[in-house]
Amino acid sequence: MNATTFQSFAEALMAAGSLGMIAMILYKAALRHVDWELIPKAALPRVRWWSTYATRVLVISGFALLLGLAARIGVCLAR
């Protein structure tokens, strides 16, 4: 794997981690202000599932962001 390919992979990892973190932070903030009676009954299981796993997704996204950042710094230092 050459440096350009590795750099592209690192940047994609950083982007995915950033988007995951932003999405979960917004989701957790929205859950604080939600009116549970307005959520359709068919969507409640999905909302509960995501509220259960949102912290895990946030941590995994943060790890992906840091891993991509470390790889990107490693590419820069190797030049």
Side-chain angles (χ1 to χ4, degrees):
M1 183 182 293
N2 61 18
T4 305
T5 305
F6 192 73
Q7 180 178 351
S8 297
F9 179 73
E11 290 171 354
L13 199 57
M14 287 180 357
S18 299
L19 289 174
M21 286 187 71
I22 290 169
M24 288 302 107
I25 289 169
L26 289 174
Y27 183 79
K28 288 174 76 77
L31 279 179
R32 286 190 214 129
H33 305 289
V34 71
D35 185 3
W36 291 95
E37 295 174 4
L38 294 178
I39 297 175
K41 299 289 182 205
L44 275 177
R46 187 176 310 135
V47 171
R48 286 196 180 110
W49 188 91
W50 274 108
S51 65
T52 302
Y53 292 102
T55 303
R56 291 179 191 166
V57 173
L58 182 65
V59 169
I60 291 169
S61 296
F63 181 71
L65 174 65
L66 291 176
L67 188 63
L69 186 61
R72 178 76 170 102
I73 290 171
V75 168
C76 289
L77 293 177
R79 289 184 181 176

